[in-house]
Amino acid sequence: MRKISLLGGLLLLVVGAVLTWRRLHPPLTDEQQIAAALDGITAAANARSPRGIADYLAKDFQFGTTSKSEFQNSLVGGILQYRVVDLKLAGTQTEVNGETASSQGRYVLSLKSEFTSPPEVFAGKFALQWRKTEGQWLVTGAQGDQTPR
């Protein structure tokens, strides 16, 4: 009898803790999920991780006429060429429309071939198209302009 009471008390404690955690940590809105994905893309770029960036791309991703696999290959080549990658996004605005969304903003990309070399800096506007797939927001399309500074 004592074991049953102890197990029942332990079960109530676990259920109470889970319910309290859920109440204090509500699920992210779609806009917040997309903002978190943009932070993840930025972190992956700064960590020089082409695979990390690709994790946020849908299977049918297109950058202009470039497919996902071609884009991944160019990321690998670019990251091998540069020792320091610093991507910053600003002024990002996201509009969600059901299971699709769009984001636009500005970026600054600073690249160094060596730690002590002067950076090559590119800045411009970007636009991304998103689709919610199995609960995760993935980029389906990207456009951007680039202007060397």
Side-chain angles (χ1 to χ4, degrees):
M1 187 69 164
R2 187 170 183 192
K3 283 184 178 181
I4 293 174
S5 295
L6 184 61
L7 286 174
L10 184 60
L11 181 62
L12 282 174
L13 183 64
V14 169
V15 168
V18 168
L19 292 175
T20 301
W21 186 88
R22 291 283 295 162
R23 185 166 187 232
L24 295 175
H25 298 89
L28 297 177
T29 66
D30 289 329
E31 290 83 356
Q32 291 170 327
Q33 290 176 34
I34 291 171
L38 287 168
D39 289 344
I41 291 168
T42 301
N46 293 340
R48 300 177 59 237
S49 173
R51 184 177 180 93
I53 295 168
D55 286 346
Y56 294 95
L57 306 179
K59 290 179 183 179
D60 59 345
F61 170 82
Q62 288 285 125
F63 183 66
T65 60
T66 305
S67 69
K68 180 180 178 177
S69 62
E70 293 168 332
F71 185 73
Q72 281 181 271
N73 290 338
S74 66
L75 282 174
V76 170
I79 286 178
L80 288 175
Q81 183 178 353
Y82 295 102
R83 287 276 189 228
V84 178
V85 176
D86 184 26
L87 175 63
K88 290 184 175 53
L89 304 180
T92 304
Q93 297 178 343
T94 299
E95 184 177 318
V96 176
N97 188 11
E99 298 295 307
T100 62
S102 61
S103 297
Q104 51 273 333
R106 295 180 312 279
Y107 72 91
V108 176
L109 177 62
S110 177
L111 305 168
K112 290 184 177 185
S113 56
E114 296 296 329
F115 291 106
T116 58
S117 65
E120 295 177 51
V121 180
F122 300 89
K125 295 179 182 177
F126 71 90
L128 301 175
Q129 291 75 48
W130 301 82
R131 180 177 60 239
K132 196 170 194 176
T133 306
E134 297 178 13
Q136 181 182 8
W137 285 99
L138 299 173
V139 179
T140 58
Q143 296 85 36
D145 62 12
Q146 68 176 21
T147 53
R149 279 210 228 169

